[in-house]
Amino acid sequence: MKKHWKNRTLFKVLIPFLQIACITSTIVFALLACYCLSRGGDMYRASRQSVEQASRAAVTKNYSMIAATHVADKSYGRSALSGTNFQYGIITGHRSDIDGYINKLTASDLTDPKLYAYQNFKDISRLTPDNTKEVTILHYPCSKWASYQSYTDGPFSVGSVYVDEQTVTHTIKGFGLEKNSRTPYVLADGIWYPLSEDTEYTALIKENQKTVFSYADDGTDERLPTREEIRELIKHNHYSKKNTTAFYRIRYGYNMEGSDGYLYIKPEEMKEFDATKLADSKISTLTATPDTLTTFSTLDNDAEDEAIVVSYVPKELDMSLDDDYVRNQNFIHFFFDHRYLFIALSILSFLGFLVTTALFLCLAGHTEEPMPSSKEENIRKLSDGTWLQRWGIARMPMDLWLLLLLCFLGISGAWVESINTGFGGLLVHGVAYCILGGLFAELLLYVLVVNLKLGNIVKRTLLGRFILALVNINNGTQIQKKARNGFIIVTVLEFLAFLVMSSTSLGGVHSDVFGLLFVCWVALRVVVFIALKKGTDILSQSLDQAVTERVRAERFQTQLITNVSHDIKTPLTSIISYVDLLSKESLDNNKAEEYVEVLTRQSARLKKLIQDLIDASKASSGNIPLHTQRVNSSVILSQAAGEYEEKLKTAGIELQTFVTAGSPDSDNPEAKEVYILADPQQLWRVFNNLLSNITKYAQHSTRAYVDLEEVNGRIRFIFRNTSATALHVSADELMERFVQGDASRSTEGSGLGLSIAKSLTELMGGSFTITIDGDLFKAIVDFPAI
Amino acid sequence: MNRILVADDDADIRGALRIYLEAEGYEIVEAENGQEVLDLLGKSSRGLLPELQLILLDVMMPVMDGIICLHKIRENYNLPVILLTAKSENSDKVLGLTVGADDYVTKPFDPVELIARVKSQLRRYLLLGNANSCQEDNNSSHLTIGGIDVYDDEKKVTLDGEEVSLTPTEYEILKLFMLHPGKVFAPAEIYRNVWEDPVPGAEGTVAVHIRHLREKLEIDPAEPRYIIVVWGQGYKMTQGN
């Protein structure tokens, strides 16, 4: 048999891969086109020239940076830049207004070789202001701390110059005070370093551990006191010499991690000097920041030096040289020669993507033969004999898949941020991104399509399942409903608590953390909840099963009894008919007549027994269709009594009927009708059985009572009579099937009447009780009043 | 001489029925199944056999059962059919009457009741006219429902043409029913309408009178055809079947 294409494994494997390949190439080609076009300025008006110019400017910037960062080591980038089209000269020296200087330079002559610390122009005379287009003047930091970082590649990428903030650590050899500026200095390797402005320092005088003077405390003299001045202060203020100490205090380590504290220097240890009288080499221009008790650091401020790079790139490049100019130009030529091809390929592969996607949508889920032991909900047979199936990952809840995809997107955001390796890198990452993202999206699409095809999409999400479970509990057991309500209440309370907690930001913990914890907690309980529901479902299911099985068994029993009865009735018909015919024959034998009379009686009883058997079986199994309606209780009782009055009279029994329910009394002067809910036909059968029992079993020449009472909102029909024979059985036994009050079973009747009456009453929602008090037989049929 | 077709697969039952019915003066034709019934009916209608006046039809028979047979009979014939069956469920009775049976007797049958029903059906079929030649009687004093006729002038009541003697109270109750066929009368309503000096609370006697009335007018008072007990509500008169 030829397989339908949808069921071929080849297509199943091939199409998703083709799809991913197509979207990847779409993105790659589109990326290529966009990248090149956007770098050439306005994307729509990009020309070869503008793109080339952009590329050249980028390369010139990079080469200038290389040159500038090699100023400090005096190599001027010779090794890196020789053999390129880049001709340049470097102007060094510290200038305050570097942009102004450059403007002046461009206006004036650049042809003077003395201007440059280094230059390799082939023809310096070409650097006239007329050739400004070929001359580029740029300036970059050039200290020894500066370095060139080419963090990207590709024809348009521009690197940058990093300047390390270089600090040097020195060991403190001594402290000093400059007499004129009154600033503290630290000594290291024979050079004095002034303390940086940020450093905190003071002079203190303490008497008996109590600070009596600190520098600038009095506000009159803001200059740090010298040793002499301190001595004078002590003397002037009459501090007791014995208990007075004086010192300079310098804060260290305040801007560093780790320990910080104060350096205490006695006035004797503080060397005093005059900076003007020392050689320049002895005084540093760098400032000192004390780091620890024994060290300080200085910040190298040479880093701000910049070099001016004047470069010349001829319009016509020397194509024999292997440099970035040549490479880029070749690449751009290649791109511009093929740009329409790229765009066409991009569009084509996008079309391919659309087609493969459509094919994928068609074949998703189709299969020749479903996996064995698949659940009903996961498969569906199609008209052509093949199957739709949900298998493997497609069975995973869809919102979990969505969550995975979102996670991927989140991660890929960080991934995109980290891409800094230029155009080539971008391409590689783009392809990887497309393939990975494509796989994720493909799987999600597959899951979605299969679920859509098989239907019941709400059930395929965790959220949907959870909500459905909550809703379905309405038909569940009482326990399940309680659990659901409890779950909702607790979750709402927790949510409120979470809101309060997040708004107060307890203990400085971020509210996001609370949010996450809350979501995790609720998710955990959702899982527990679903598990619990599953458990109770299984429990109630088995219970249901047991009940239905019992009902089925009873129904079967009823069916059996009915069918057997029908089969018995046919021979019984002949027996009864011929016994009847026999009794009409003139038999000249008294005994024979007596026997025929027994036969007549017993065959009649058999007939009754069979009918009662069917009724009892139906009533006890609930296999009787009920037409429940409002029934006027007093009317039905008087009707029933009327039906039997004559029969009872012939049996010598006087029937007394008392209706107290609904009749006028002191509380309700108006008589009212009292109604109950019952099937009137079946209720008559109950009364019929009870009244016929009275005719059969009541003592001759006694009264029988039929009462109608209303007690606590319940209507009671009470039948009382005096039994003709002694009742030696209990009330419960009487209601059993085939039990008769008299042990001899001589009278007519099947012994099923009470059983049928009880079953029918209970079927209609009433209750049926029998009490026996000596010879008094009492049956109560009880219904709620409406 | 009326001819009755007895259809039953049990020969003994056919024999018993033959004895009972022949004792009443009917001529009996026997059939073993539904197909034979149809064949016999076809023959009699073509004049090959004398005409049949009634069919006693068993339901459970081989070859063709009674219900299907009845269905086919009713396509061509309107002679009375009494179903005779062991099936006594209400649903079985309703099905039989719906398909077109005129009456329904359950096995084991009471011979007296069976003969009464046969006579009743035959009288209605023959006297009241099989061609529906129901005499159009403009006399308002004559009321008729089913097989019951009330001649108010003569205070006479006939059931299937035979006179029935009723007490004055029973007669008044019957007349009330005959004037409003289908209407459900509550016992209290009947009491108010019939008794000349109604005593409140004595409605219970109505049920007794109606029971008597049923015993006189119905073949089986427990399964009435005309005066139906609507339990919990009252009583009503129907057309019979």
Side-chain angles (χ1 to χ4, degrees):
Chain A
M1 194 183 88
K2 194 170 174 290
K3 267 190 179 180
H4 195 268
W5 69 270
K6 279 179 181 175
N7 300 327
R8 282 180 178 266
T9 319
L10 178 71
F11 285 116
K12 275 180 197 295
V13 176
L14 202 61
I15 285 178
F17 281 106
L18 270 178
Q19 203 182 354
I20 293 173
C22 280
I23 192 67
T24 307
S25 70
T26 304
I27 287 182
V28 166
F29 287 124
L31 209 64
L32 267 174
C34 291
Y35 185 79
C36 295
L37 291 173
S38 69
R39 290 307 194 284
D42 189 339
M43 203 198 269
Y44 302 104
R45 270 178 281 153
S47 65
R48 184 182 300 218
Q49 277 74 26
S50 64
V51 174
E52 268 181 31
Q53 258 171 28
S55 157
R56 258 185 195 220
V59 178
T60 303
K61 273 184 192 169
N62 289 340
Y63 282 178
S64 297
M65 284 180 213
I66 293 169
T69 49
H70 285 92
V71 168
D73 61 15
K74 306 287 181 203
S75 71
Y76 301 108
R78 255 172 292 206
S79 56
L81 300 171
S82 63
T84 66
N85 284 298
F86 186 69
Q87 298 171 32
Y88 65 106
I90 300 171
I91 301 168
T92 55
H94 189 76
R95 279 172 199 87
S96 50
D97 179 18
I98 204 153
D99 290 319
Y101 179 73
I102 289 168
N103 284 340
K104 229 158 67 193
L105 264 183
T106 37
S108 65
D109 206 2
L110 286 163
T111 53
D112 182 5
K114 285 177 192 155
L115 199 61
Y116 306 102
Y118 169 83
Q119 56 93 1
N120 68 351
F121 296 112
K122 280 180 184 145
D123 182 2
I124 203 164
S125 58
R126 289 191 65 87
L127 297 176
T128 51
D130 310 334
N131 288 336
T132 42
K133 275 199 173 167
E134 285 163 62
V135 174
T136 313
I137 304 176
L138 296 164
H139 60 92
Y140 292 103
C142 66
S143 71
K144 59 180 169 184
W145 314 119
S147 59
Y148 169 66
Q149 297 277 323
S150 125
Y151 62 86
T152 57
D153 55 34
F156 307 105
S157 68
V158 178
S160 62
V161 173
Y162 280 102
V163 181
D164 284 342
E165 278 212 336
Q166 195 61 43
T167 57
V168 181
T169 305
H170 306 269
T171 309
I172 299 170
K173 288 280 156 60
F175 299 93
L177 188 67
E178 212 277 327
K179 277 182 173 169
N180 300 316
S181 62
R182 299 285 178 103
T183 21
Y185 275 61
V186 280
L187 183 70
D189 305 323
I191 300 168
W192 288 102
Y193 294 88
L195 284 185
S196 70
E197 283 172 24
D198 301 331
T199 313
E200 203 183 298
Y201 55 85
T202 185
L204 293 167
I205 302 173
K206 282 190 175 181
E207 188 188 29
N208 298 329
Q209 304 300 315
K210 222 174 88 190
T211 305
V212 290
F213 168 83
S214 70
Y215 159 60
D217 246 12
D218 53 1
T220 49
D221 190 2
E222 290 181 11
R223 289 146 69 89
L224 195 66
T226 61
R227 198 187 312 157
E228 248 349 275
E229 282 162 352
I230 289 172
R231 202 171 295 152
E232 263 168 42
L233 265 168
I234 293 170
K235 205 184 267 176
H236 182 74
N237 288 330
H238 307 291
Y239 299 135
S240 75
K241 236 180 189 176
K242 234 183 173 179
N243 294 325
T244 304
T245 50
F247 43 83
Y248 295 97
R249 197 181 69 181
I250 297 168
R251 180 96 185 260
Y252 71 86
Y254 66 96
N255 59 350
M256 288 177 59
E257 284 179 38
S259 60
D260 64 339
Y262 293 102
L263 292 160
Y264 296 95
I265 305 132
K266 286 175 184 167
E268 307 86 80
E269 290 170 1
M270 202 70 163
K271 277 186 189 159
E272 285 169 11
F273 61 91
D274 188 347
T276 51
K277 289 177 184 166
L278 280 172
D280 274 1
S281 58
K282 292 279 183 184
I283 303 288
S284 174
T285 51
L286 304 176
T287 57
T289 307
D291 292 330
T292 64
L293 281 168
T294 53
T295 60
F296 69 92
S297 58
T298 54
L299 202 61
D300 198 338
N301 56 3
D302 286 347
E304 285 165 26
D305 284 358
E306 290 204 325
I308 296 164
V309 182
V310 179
S311 54
Y312 171 80
V313 180
K315 214 170 198 172
E316 295 300 320
L317 295 172
D318 182 354
M319 300 305 277
S320 64
L321 296 170
D322 177 32
D323 66 0
D324 287 349
Y325 291 109
V326 177
R327 275 197 296 273
N328 287 357
Q329 189 164 320
N330 286 341
F331 175 79
I332 289 162
H333 280 204
F334 171 78
F335 167 71
F336 265 93
D337 291 347
H338 300 97
R339 62 187 150 165
Y340 295 112
L341 184 71
F342 287 155
I343 293 169
L345 280 176
S346 174
I347 291 170
L348 259 180
S349 51
F350 185 67
L351 284 177
F353 169 71
L354 289 183
V355 169
T356 47
T357 305
L359 292 178
F360 180 73
L361 293 185
C362 285
L363 71 73
H366 286 268
T367 179
E368 191 92 319
E369 201 58 52
M371 297 297 289
S373 72
S374 287
K375 274 195 211 156
E376 189 81 2
E377 56 166 16
N378 287 328
I379 48 172
R380 190 168 79 222
K381 192 161 187 164
L382 298 173
S383 54
D384 60 354
T386 61
W387 295 77
L388 260 180
Q389 79 166 339
R390 176 166 27 223
W391 178 73
I393 49 149
R395 291 189 185 167
M396 236 170 109
M398 279 198 297
D399 35 6
L400 278 190
W401 270 112
L402 201 65
L403 211 64
L404 269 180
L405 188 74
L406 288 178
C407 282
F408 173 73
L409 289 179
I411 291 166
S412 63
W415 181 8
V416 168
E417 297 256 304
S418 72
I419 299 170
N420 58 2
T421 44
F423 184 66
L426 199 64
L427 267 184
V428 171
H429 283 272
V431 169
Y433 183 86
C434 284
I435 291 173
L436 259 178
L439 267 175
F440 267 100
E442 192 82 59
L443 290 176
L444 185 67
L445 189 71
Y446 173 72
V447 174
L448 189 70
V449 167
V450 171
N451 285 341
L452 270 177
K453 282 185 181 176
L454 273 167
N456 219 347
I457 203 150
V458 180
K459 270 200 163 174
R460 301 315 306 173
T461 61
L462 265 190
L463 193 70
R465 262 187 236 180
F466 176 59
I467 290 171
L468 273 182
L470 278 188
V471 172
N472 283 346
I473 281 176
N474 277 338
N475 323 322
T477 61
Q478 210 58 37
I479 296 167
Q480 284 181 336
K481 275 185 200 167
K482 277 188 184 157
R484 191 256 323 256
N485 295 344
F487 178 83
I488 291 172
I489 289 169
V490 169
T491 307
V492 167
L493 282 179
E494 277 172 357
F495 183 66
L496 290 177
F498 153 68
L499 280 183
V500 170
M501 259 150 76
S502 62
S503 62
T504 51
S505 189
L506 216 74
V509 182
H510 204 270
S511 62
D512 291 357
V513 177
F514 276 121
L516 202 68
L517 280 176
F518 176 70
V519 170
C520 288
W521 176 242
V522 171
L524 184 75
R525 262 220 330 272
V526 164
V527 171
V528 171
F529 183 80
I530 289 178
L532 271 178
K533 187 176 178 292
K534 276 259 163 73
T536 47
D537 271 352
I538 289 168
L539 212 72
S540 58
Q541 227 167 42
S542 54
L543 209 69
D544 282 352
Q545 217 163 12
V547 169
T548 43
E549 229 148 74
R550 217 191 109 187
V551 167
R552 205 166 49 202
E554 292 224 350
R555 190 157 295 176
F556 176 73
Q557 187 194 345
T558 308
Q559 203 79 41
L560 188 72
I561 289 175
T562 311
N563 289 342
V564 168
S565 303
H566 289 158
D567 290 342
I568 294 172
K569 272 180 192 173
T570 307
L572 187 63
T573 306
S574 297
I575 293 171
I576 289 178
S577 302
Y578 285 100
V579 167
D580 182 59
L581 289 171
L582 194 62
S583 68
K584 283 171 187 158
E585 293 294 317
S586 52
L587 298 165
D588 49 359
N589 186 329
N590 281 348
K591 277 212 166 145
E593 263 176 41
E594 194 182 311
Y595 298 161
V596 168
E597 202 253 312
V598 170
L599 280 176
T600 309
R601 200 174 64 234
Q602 290 302 330
S603 57
R605 193 171 162 205
L606 187 58
K607 173 184 167 184
K608 170 94 172 103
L609 190 63
I610 287 168
Q611 191 52 51
D612 279 0
L613 192 62
I614 296 174
D615 287 349
S617 161
K618 278 187 175 180
S620 67
S621 65
N623 212 351
I624 288 178
L626 288 179
H627 307 285
T628 306
Q629 61 189 70
R630 273 161 59 90
V631 179
N632 188 327
S633 52
S634 62
V635 169
I636 195 165
L637 190 66
S638 73
Q639 284 179 316
E643 292 293 314
Y644 267 92
E645 202 167 281
E646 202 68 17
K647 233 186 239 179
L648 288 164
K649 211 171 266 172
T650 40
I653 297 153
E654 192 185 328
L655 187 69
Q656 299 278 335
T657 314
F658 292 105
V659 177
T660 56
S663 60
D665 56 21
S666 53
D667 295 335
N668 305 305
E670 285 293 307
K672 61 173 175 138
E673 306 291 341
V674 186
Y675 289 92
I676 56 169
L677 269 186
D679 181 337
Q681 197 63 42
Q682 306 304 337
L683 192 57
W684 154 243
R685 282 173 77 180
V686 173
F687 293 164
N688 190 13
N689 285 357
L690 287 172
L691 288 166
S692 104
N693 269 4
I694 292 176
T695 54
K696 276 182 251 169
Y697 302 118
Q699 175 67 40
H700 192 271
S701 323
T702 58
R703 289 188 197 92
Y705 298 87
V706 177
D707 300 346
L708 178 62
E709 291 178 1
E710 184 173 7
V711 183
N712 299 330
R714 292 188 77 89
I715 302 297
R716 286 172 145 192
F717 303 93
I718 305 169
F719 297 77
R720 286 177 294 174
N721 68 279
T722 310
S723 176
T725 57
L727 295 165
H728 291 303
V729 286
S730 73
D732 287 341
E733 276 179 282
L734 265 183
M735 286 186 287
E736 295 280 311
R737 295 179 200 178
F738 303 114
V739 173
Q740 283 173 291
D742 53 341
S744 66
R745 296 192 165 210
S746 58
T747 44
E748 54 177 321
S750 59
L752 286 167
L754 287 178
S755 166
I756 294 171
K758 182 179 160 71
S759 299
L760 284 175
T761 309
E762 283 167 2
L763 213 55
M764 288 186 285
S767 75
F768 185 89
T769 45
I770 285 173
T771 53
I772 292 165
D773 186 2
D775 283 344
L776 179 68
F777 176 88
K778 187 170 166 187
I780 302 170
V781 180
D782 185 307
F783 281 92
I786 53 165
Chain B
M1 177 87 80
N2 291 320
R3 293 167 61 83
I4 296 175
L5 175 59
V6 174
D8 199 308
D9 56 329
D10 190 315
D12 290 336
I13 292 177
R14 285 204 305 273
L17 286 169
R18 175 184 283 277
I19 295 164
Y20 284 124
L21 292 170
E22 277 179 352
E24 294 297 320
Y26 300 114
E27 193 179 318
I28 302 302
V29 182
E30 286 180 30
E32 268 182 44
N33 57 55
Q35 191 55 54
E36 271 183 36
V37 173
L38 290 178
D39 292 344
L40 287 167
L41 272 173
K43 277 180 189 166
S44 71
S45 68
R46 286 197 301 275
L48 300 173
L49 280 172
E51 200 188 343
L52 292 163
Q53 275 78 38
L54 188 137
I55 303 174
L56 272 176
L57 192 62
D58 185 22
V59 172
M60 284 184 291
M61 287 185 295
V63 184
M64 181 190 283
D65 76 23
I67 296 294
I68 293 170
C69 176
L70 178 57
H71 193 79
K72 299 209 165 175
I73 292 169
R74 282 290 171 251
E75 286 172 4
N76 297 312
Y77 308 96
N78 70 342
L79 79 168
V81 175
I82 297 174
L83 285 180
L84 184 64
T85 172
K87 285 187 172 183
S88 56
E89 320 304 307
N90 265 333
S91 56
D92 297 321
K93 290 185 188 171
V94 170
L95 175 68
L97 297 176
T98 311
V99 171
D102 295 271
D103 212 341
Y104 196 103
V105 177
T106 53
K107 288 183 196 170
F109 54 85
D110 175 6
V112 180
E113 181 195 331
L114 178 75
I115 286 159
R117 288 188 190 274
V118 167
K119 278 184 177 167
S120 163
Q121 289 302 331
L122 279 173
R123 241 180 274 134
R124 286 183 63 189
Y125 180 63
L126 299 170
L127 296 181
L128 306 179
N130 52 6
N132 281 333
S133 61
C134 201
Q135 55 265 58
E136 203 49 50
D137 198 343
N138 288 331
N139 189 354
S140 63
S141 68
H142 176 214
L143 300 164
T144 176
I145 283 179
I148 301 171
D149 292 84
V150 174
Y151 302 93
D152 200 26
D153 293 343
E154 307 155 57
K155 299 274 181 264
K156 189 180 90 175
V157 177
T158 59
L159 173 66
D160 298 324
E162 281 189 3
E163 191 170 341
V164 182
S165 71
L166 296 179
T167 66
T169 312
E170 287 162 5
Y171 179 80
E172 288 301 323
I173 293 172
L174 180 64
K175 210 175 98 184
L176 181 67
F177 282 138
M178 297 286 277
L179 285 169
H180 306 279
K183 185 188 168 185
V184 177
F185 287 94
E189 202 177 349
I190 297 169
Y191 189 70
R192 271 200 312 278
N193 278 298
V194 174
W195 272 259
E196 280 168 10
D197 299 314
V199 182
E203 297 94 8
T205 53
V206 172
V208 182
H209 285 280
I210 287 175
R211 172 77 193 182
H212 286 155
L213 191 56
R214 284 217 315 274
E215 275 163 6
K216 288 176 182 172
L217 291 174
E218 305 283 357
I219 294 162
D220 180 2
E223 299 257 341
R225 285 185 298 168
Y226 298 114
I227 300 167
I228 308 289
V229 187
V230 184
W231 293 103
Q233 292 183 38
Y235 306 90
K236 69 171 179 182
M237 185 101 193
T238 64
Q239 294 284 343
N241 297 336

